[in-house]
C-alpha cells in the first residue's frame, strides 16, 4: 500500500505499535494494540488511541485535530499489515470508539479499496443482521479482516539497526517499522482490555461466517 504514513515502532511480540502524529498541535503519541479475544484464539481486536502522558493512560475519545487524520489512518492500516505479516491466519476486528470514528475507518476502506482488496478479505457488520461481505456505499458498525494469502509479501525489506535490537526494518509505502524494546507491552492497559471485552460480546452476538473463519473464499 503506497500511502503516506508515519514511521512507527513495534516490540518483539508484534502486538504493540507506537508512532507520533506531527502537526499544529505538536507531536502526539499514538498507540495501536492487537488484543486476543481469548476464547476466540484467532480473533484479535484492533485498539487504537492517544497516549496521555500526564494521566499515563490511553485516550481514544480526545480529538487531536492535528491536521493529519489520513496519514494517521494510513499508519494504523500499515500496522495491521505488519501484524498480519507475523500472524497471517488471524482475524482482526475493528470498531471505532464513536460512530464518527467507525465512519472514518469506513471512509478509509472505501478510498483505498483498490489497494486493500487484493490483500484482505473484509466483512462489515450490519446491526441486527450480522457480518456481511464489505461493499462500498454501505454503512457498517464494525469490520473484520483477514489476509487472503498468508504468503503475501510486502515490498522488499531493508536491513538496519534500531537503537536496541538488530532487526529488519521494513519499508512499507513511505514509512518504516522498527522493532524496539522501547515499545512497552500494553496488554494490561485497561482501555485495550475493555475494547477486547466489547469486541468479544459482538462476536458472541453475531458470530462470523464459517468460511471466513476458515480462511476460505
Amino acid at each position: 500500500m503506497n500511502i503516506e504514513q508515519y514511521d512507527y515502532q513495534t516490540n518483539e511480540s508484534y502486538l504493540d505499535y507506537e508512532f507520533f502524529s506531527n502537526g499544529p498541535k505538536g507531536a502526539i503519541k499514538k498507540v495501536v494494540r492487537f488484543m486476543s479475544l481469548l476464547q476466540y484464539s484467532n480473533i484479535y481486536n484492533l485498539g487504537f488511541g492517544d497516549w496521555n502522558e500526564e494521566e499515563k493512560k490511553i485516550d481514544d475519545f480526545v480529538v487531536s485535530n492535528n491536521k493529519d487524520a489520513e496519514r494517521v489512518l494510513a499508519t494504523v492500516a500499515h500496522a495491521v499489515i505488519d501484524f498480519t505479516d507475523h500472524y497471517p491466519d488471524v482475524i482482526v476486528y475493528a470498531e471505532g470508539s464513536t460512530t464518527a470514528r467507525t465512519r472514518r475507518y469506513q471512509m478509509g476502506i472505501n478510498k483505498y479499496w483498490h489497494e486493500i482488496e487484493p490483500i484482505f478479505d473484509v466483512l462489515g457488520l450490519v446491526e441486527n443482521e450480522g457480518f456481511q461481505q464489505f461493499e462500498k456505499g454501505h454503512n457498517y458498525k464494525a469490520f473484520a479482516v483477514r489476509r487472503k494469502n498468508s504468503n503475501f509479501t510486502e515490498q522488499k525489506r531493508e536491513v538496519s539497526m534500531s537503537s536496541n535490537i538488530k532487526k529488519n526494518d521494513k519499508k512499507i509505502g513511505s514509512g518504516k517499522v522498527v522493532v524496539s524494546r522501547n515499545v512497552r507491552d500494553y496488554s494490561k492497559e485497561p482501555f485495550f482490555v475493555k475494547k477486547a471485552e466489547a469486541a468479544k460480546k459482538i462476536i458472541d452476538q453475531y458470530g462470523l461466517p464459517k468460511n471466513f473463519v476458515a480462511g476460505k473464499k
Side-chain angles (χ1 to χ4, degrees):
M1 297 176 68
N2 192 24
I3 308 168
E4 185 179 18
Q5 62 177 103
Y6 286 110
D7 290 352
Y8 57 102
Q9 293 185 324
T10 184
N11 50 31
E12 290 183 295
S13 73
Y14 299 98
L15 298 175
D16 308 278
Y17 293 79
E18 298 176 348
F19 65 95
F20 283 90
S21 158
N22 290 290
K25 299 296 181 69
I28 300 173
K29 185 176 179 178
K30 307 282 186 176
V31 179
V32 177
R33 167 75 189 183
F34 296 95
M35 182 77 79
S36 171
L37 301 194
L38 299 179
Q39 289 91 335
Y40 302 100
S41 59
N42 71 323
I43 305 178
Y44 284 72
N45 179 70
L46 165 62
F48 170 63
D50 291 3
W51 176 253
N52 186 317
E53 184 60 32
E54 291 184 3
E55 299 184 17
K56 303 296 182 184
K57 68 176 187 179
I58 294 293
D59 185 351
D60 80 328
F61 287 99
V62 66
V63 178
S64 302
N65 197 25
N66 220 14
K67 309 299 182 183
D68 62 348
E70 188 165 321
R71 190 173 183 182
V72 167
L73 188 60
T75 308
V76 174
H78 280 285
V80 175
I81 292 176
D82 189 67
F83 169 65
T84 55
D85 272 346
H86 297 90
Y87 300 89
D89 298 319
V90 304
I91 294 167
V92 178
Y93 173 90
E95 179 180 359
S97 56
T98 65
T99 301
R101 295 197 173 188
T102 300
R103 189 180 304 118
R104 188 176 300 164
Y105 287 166
Q106 178 155 343
M107 291 171 63
I109 296 172
N110 284 336
K111 185 171 183 178
Y112 296 107
W113 181 244
H114 65 289
E115 297 187 66
I116 295 170
E117 195 274 336
I119 306 173
F120 291 101
D121 285 317
V122 183
L123 299 180
L125 175 61
V126 178
E127 195 163 14
N128 299 322
E129 294 185 28
F131 285 93
Q132 303 174 4
Q133 195 68 37
F134 178 87
E135 293 184 12
K136 295 174 68 173
H138 290 231
N139 292 321
Y140 299 105
K141 174 181 170 59
F143 307 92
V145 305
R146 72 172 305 154
R147 291 290 278 265
K148 284 187 172 181
N149 183 351
S150 62
N151 294 320
F152 177 86
T153 304
E154 267 293 334
Q155 298 177 16
K156 185 177 179 181
R157 300 181 178 185
E158 302 173 348
V159 178
S160 66
M161 178 84 76
S162 76
S163 60
N164 292 297
I165 307 173
K166 187 175 182 180
K167 287 284 184 181
N168 283 351
D169 282 3
K170 293 183 290 182
K171 192 72 174 179
I172 303 176
S174 58
K176 181 175 62 178
V177 56
V178 178
V179 178
S180 172
R181 291 193 183 96
N182 291 331
V183 178
R184 55 169 285 200
D185 179 342
Y186 289 90
S187 61
K188 303 299 183 183
E189 179 66 31
F191 165 74
F192 292 126
V193 173
K194 290 179 180 178
K195 288 286 287 185
E197 290 172 349
K200 181 184 176 299
K201 289 180 180 179
I202 293 294
I203 303 301
D204 285 343
Q205 180 180 356
Y206 292 103
L208 287 166
K210 290 182 179 180
N211 62 338
F212 187 80
V213 173
K216 298 177 182 179
K217 294 289 287 181

